Amino acid sequence: MENSNQKVWFVTGASKGLGLSLVKRLLNENYSVAATSRSLTDLENAVGSHANFLPLAVDILNEESVAEAVNKTINRFGSLDVVVNNAGYGLLGALEELTDAESRQNFDVNVFGSLNVIRHVLPQLRKQQSGHIFNIASIGGFTGNFPGFGIYCATKFAVHGFTESLAAEVKPFGINATVVSPGYFRTNFLNDSSLSTPKNVMDAYKTVRDSQQLHEKDINNNQPGDPDKAASVMIKVASMQQPPVQLFLGPDAYHLAEVKIKDVEKDLESVREIATATNFEN
């Protein structure tokens, strides 16, 4: 690994959660950091004042706002090296319960917001012939076996998919891309401010209500993961010469990923004979 504190980091959704932990750790290690939030006041209050910190109020759904933030970062620090697409929120509700508007909004923020950032940072990264993009997904973007989280999982599956393609697309330019899949970390992700629930609740979905109760009452504030340690891992991965495309964070994420892989292998084998006999016969 190389050791360089001269890298410039750009972190979205930095006023709380994993983004805030990452920004604070980066500043403590003397990196230059541009960080975004919808509320500049919330961001400044959460992080405090630092000589190498650039707080930015950004609407990631507005391309002009994103472009302005990227340009301010480059003008302030002279480069842009590590980009972290962290902004997003959770959505808990059965597929039948959620309205089209509720579902689309989750995709807008969790998927298209990140794509807006990627489009506007890549010209600088390609010009430098270097850089690293981290897209924060979730273990729920690798395995969707969570009643009530179907749309949220779908947004994070999308993040997995476009990050894998992105990694292949930008490799010739010396740029790396990593999709981060955290398990349960003790942030405010399960608080009302970060987790939306459907307007039209249907009593028929007992498994969804049970899942909602479990996450909001039992898991919230009792998550096993330490976000500061997660931030430390990301900083270490950013310094690797050959960083992974897939970064799972937490023993729970590793366990769930391994279960999913075994389940897929089992399904593959259960129908291999008939499912592979589908080519034209010579």
Side-chain angles (χ1 to χ4, degrees):
M1 297 183 181
E2 63 181 8
N3 183 17
S4 174
N5 291 25
Q6 304 308 309
K7 288 182 177 179
V8 177
W9 288 63
F10 182 92
V11 183
T12 70
S15 62
K16 55 187 177 182
L18 178 59
L20 177 59
S21 293
L22 178 60
V23 167
K24 286 183 173 181
R25 182 165 289 272
L26 287 167
L27 291 171
N28 286 339
E29 296 184 16
N30 297 317
Y31 287 92
S32 295
V33 181
T36 82
S37 174
R38 286 174 297 175
S39 169
L40 188 63
T41 300
D42 288 349
L43 181 60
E44 291 175 331
N45 289 340
V47 177
S49 179
H50 298 265
N52 51 340
F53 175 52
L54 176 62
L56 298 163
V58 175
D59 176 3
I60 62 171
L61 301 186
N62 183 313
E63 292 208 55
E64 291 183 0
S65 178
V66 173
E68 182 180 6
V70 172
N71 289 334
K72 285 182 177 179
T73 301
I74 297 169
N75 290 337
R76 167 73 177 273
F77 298 118
S79 67
L80 181 59
D81 301 297
V82 185
V83 177
V84 181
N85 278 309
N86 175 68
Y89 70 95
L91 180 62
L92 198 163
L95 296 181
E96 187 181 356
E97 290 178 314
L98 294 168
T99 65
D100 180 74
E102 288 170 327
S103 300
R104 287 178 182 273
Q105 179 67 16
N106 204 213
F107 269 90
D108 280 343
V109 175
N110 292 2
V111 177
F112 294 103
S114 293
L115 292 174
N116 285 340
V117 173
I118 289 168
R119 275 193 296 272
H120 287 286
V121 300
L122 275 177
Q124 177 66 24
L125 302 187
R126 285 191 293 104
K127 178 182 177 182
Q128 296 171 178
Q129 293 287 290
S130 66
H132 196 155
I133 298 174
F134 286 92
N135 295 318
I136 308 299
S138 165
I139 187 56
F142 188 76
T143 175
N145 190 20
F146 298 97
F149 283 93
I151 293 299
Y152 173 75
C153 286
T155 68
K156 296 305 185 178
F157 266 76
V159 174
H160 270 258
F162 73 64
T163 304
E164 290 181 9
S165 293
L166 176 66
E169 291 170 358
V170 300
K171 186 176 181 180
F173 305 111
I175 304 168
N176 296 305
T178 297
V179 57
V180 183
S181 300
Y184 287 102
F185 280 82
R186 199 168 300 175
T187 68
N188 55 4
F189 176 76
L190 296 177
N191 292 352
D192 292 342
S193 62
S194 297
L195 182 66
S196 294
T197 53
K199 296 178 181 178
N200 304 317
V201 174
M202 300 175 65
D203 293 335
Y205 285 99
K206 183 178 184 305
T207 57
V208 174
R209 299 287 79 76
D210 289 346
S211 177
Q212 182 174 348
Q213 173 75 16
L214 177 68
H215 283 83
E216 292 181 338
K217 304 299 182 183
D218 299 333
I219 297 176
N220 192 23
N221 297 319
N222 292 306
Q223 299 96 323
D226 182 343
D228 290 340
K229 291 181 179 179
S232 179
V233 172
M234 290 180 61
I235 295 170
K236 291 177 181 177
V237 170
S239 70
M240 296 172 66
Q241 293 292 336
Q242 295 182 320
V245 175
Q246 301 272 355
L247 174 59
F248 293 92
L249 287 177
D252 55 345
Y254 262 73
H255 170 71
L256 290 169
E258 288 163 350
V259 170
K260 167 68 178 283
I261 291 168
K262 289 179 181 177
D263 286 344
V264 171
E265 290 174 342
K266 181 180 178 181
D267 287 346
L268 284 170
E269 292 306 317
S270 70
V271 292
R272 178 181 291 274
E273 185 175 351
I274 60 173
T276 58
T278 51
N279 286 351
F280 288 107
E281 294 184 6
N282 294 327

